[in-house]
Every structure is written in structure tokens, then in C-alpha cells.
Amino acid sequence: AVMGECRFDNVAVGFRGRYVYDVIVKGKVAHTKYYPQEGENAILTAGAFAAEIEKLPTAAHPKMNCGTWCVRTIEGGYNNALKVCDECKLGVERYVVPGETTESCREQMIDLAKRMGIEDKVEIQLRPRELPYMEAFDVPEDHELVKSVRKHYQDVVGTELPCAYDMSVCDSCIFCDFHLQYSSCKITIGFFYKYSVGYYTPLKPFNKGLFRLFRRLFFNYLEVPGSLIASKYRFRYILYAMAEAV
């Protein structure tokens, strides 16, 4: 798949992926006047668990460095009641590199809870979302579709288009979940007009160079088995390019 989004000076052939987990940590409620002899503060347990989560190892990648752990949120406690916190929720964000999965990351946290002796107090689940989670991927730089993007770009623009790897995520990561035979690349459209373009920019600012590039890619990819041109909001631009750039 080719995602036609603004990269301006490179073709991205690799992105990290990203997951978010909800971690529920249980304690034991009691009136605060009896604490700490009675009750168990879930905030303290969750805080200790959060600190250790961020120390967990991750896989490495030669171009995208490594994965990361980030405890982004912690919620729990009673503002208007004299009660020891008996439940606390952590929001854990996990950036991953190819080879790491939702289940492998979850297992890391489960194993950590066991080592800390709190496995019976911790529940870990992948946070539900409407779209698939964004998976990490890397496409070989010598892949046929990558070479095609770079060749047609140089033919049209006159300069080389280097390959790049991104530490964040983008829409192309979602295509990894479709289990297609594909190449997922992001090509720049920034060179073809004066100003940066958003999703709702009218067709008028686009010039013939962009149209020629999309037309070449479109017809080239029709000849490659399993290939797909995908542009979330811009497929109509590709069709328009085919008509205008003849």
C-alpha cells in the first residue's frame, strides 16, 4: 500500500507500533483513621508497579532504536470520603518494534506482577478501540514497490527520495493487521506545491508533477500481485490525477 501523506523529503518504509493497556490494581478499603493497620492502599501498589513497568526490557531494531514503556495516567482514590483507596487504574502506553505483539507485551507485565508477588491484585487488558491497533512494520528497502516509488519520484521530480524510518505511528500501521501481501510506504507530496497540505485541501493547488507521479504508481502497481494503493482521504485525487495527467 502507498499512503499519500506529507513527508516532504523521504519515503517511510518503517514505523513503530503502539498499544495501550488498562491495568487495574486492587487494594483493600478501610476508614483512613485505622490506616495503615487496616486497609491496603492501591495507589502505593500501583505506583510501585508503574515504576517497575517502565524498567521492563524491549526489543531493538537497527533503524528504529527500540520499543518503549510509558505509564501515562494513574487514577484512583476518594476525594470526598475518608476511605483508603481500594482500586487504582494505570494507563500504560507501549511503543513496539517489529516482533513485539499485544500479547507479548501483556505477558511482560503479568510476569512482572508475579515477580513482585502482586499477581492476585493486578488485572491487565488491552484497551478496546474501534480501529485495529497500529502494528510495527518495516519493508525491505529493496522491495519492488519501494524501488518503484523511488524511481518514479526521481523521474518526475528530478531528485532522489531517501528511505526513512519513523519512531511514531501512522495510518499505514493499520494495514499490517489486514494480513495482505503488501508493501506499505508513505510518499511525499510536499514538493509539488508551495504550502503544506491538509486532508481537506482542494484539488486546485496540486500541479501536474503530483498527478504524473500518482498516475505512474497506479499503473505500475496494477502489474504487481497483491499490491494496493490506499490513500485514506485522497483516493479521489489519484483518479483525478489519472484523468488530468494524460
Side-chain angles (χ1 to χ4, degrees):
V2 173
M3 302 292 293
E5 297 187 15
C6 301
R7 294 208 53 93
F8 300 105
D9 60 356
N10 61 63
V11 52
V13 295
F15 276 82
R16 293 199 300 178
R18 175 182 173 272
Y19 312 135
V20 179
Y21 297 87
D22 288 323
V23 179
I24 306 298
V25 180
K26 300 286 187 179
K28 185 177 180 181
V29 71
H31 195 290
T32 54
K33 71 178 180 179
Y34 299 120
Y35 182 78
Q37 286 74 26
E38 295 183 17
E40 182 178 354
N41 195 338
I43 293 174
L44 296 183
T45 306
F49 192 46
E52 293 303 316
I53 285 175
E54 294 209 351
K55 298 176 185 177
L56 287 171
T58 65
H61 187 276
K63 302 282 186 154
M64 290 181 277
N65 197 1
C66 59
T68 57
W69 294 92
C70 179
V71 179
R72 287 178 48 198
T73 60
I74 181 167
E75 305 171 23
Y78 303 93
N79 287 325
N80 300 309
L82 304 178
K83 297 166 64 177
V84 176
C85 178
D86 59 338
E87 183 175 300
C88 192
K89 183 168 81 170
L90 302 175
V92 180
E93 181 178 78
R94 178 70 154 89
Y95 273 93
V96 297
V97 296
E100 297 181 300
T101 66
T102 56
E103 192 55 34
S104 69
C105 296
R106 181 174 178 273
E107 286 298 323
Q108 282 185 280
M109 288 187 283
I110 291 174
D111 290 343
L112 173 62
K114 290 178 180 178
R115 294 196 300 273
M116 295 178 65
I118 58 173
E119 67 270 24
D120 59 334
K121 301 173 184 176
V122 174
E123 299 173 7
I124 303 169
Q125 65 175 357
L126 189 66
R127 182 175 295 173
R129 56 177 271 158
E130 292 183 11
L131 293 174
Y133 267 98
M134 294 178 168
E135 301 289 346
F137 72 88
D138 57 349
V139 179
E141 294 185 14
D142 61 354
H143 190 286
E144 188 64 31
L145 298 185
V146 178
K147 291 192 294 184
S148 177
V149 170
R150 300 182 70 189
K151 175 184 181 301
H152 290 306
Y153 182 92
Q154 185 165 20
D155 290 346
V156 172
V157 182
T159 58
E160 290 188 2
L161 186 66
C163 290
Y165 297 81
D166 204 298
M167 297 290 285
S168 188
V169 293
C170 78
D171 291 346
S172 59
C173 299
I174 294 178
F175 284 96
C176 296
D177 200 51
F178 293 163
H179 306 292
L180 298 174
Q181 178 185 352
Y182 72 100
S183 170
S184 187
C185 314
K186 293 187 68 177
I187 62 173
T188 177
I189 59 176
F191 280 115
F192 294 92
Y193 44 89
K194 200 168 186 181
Y195 303 105
S196 176
V197 172
Y199 284 124
Y200 301 105
T201 301
L203 292 173
K204 209 169 176 185
F206 292 80
N207 69 24
K208 298 283 184 171
L210 174 63
F211 295 148
R212 288 199 301 272
L213 176 58
F214 272 129
R215 185 190 63 172
R216 286 171 178 237
L217 292 173
F218 187 87
F219 287 111
N220 190 169
Y221 290 175
L222 289 179
E223 301 173 359
V224 180
S227 64
L228 169 68
I229 286 189
S231 186
K232 187 175 179 183
Y233 297 106
R234 302 193 183 95
F235 188 71
R236 62 185 181 278
Y237 297 159
I238 297 173
L239 299 180
Y240 186 83
M242 289 164 52
E244 289 294 314
V246 175

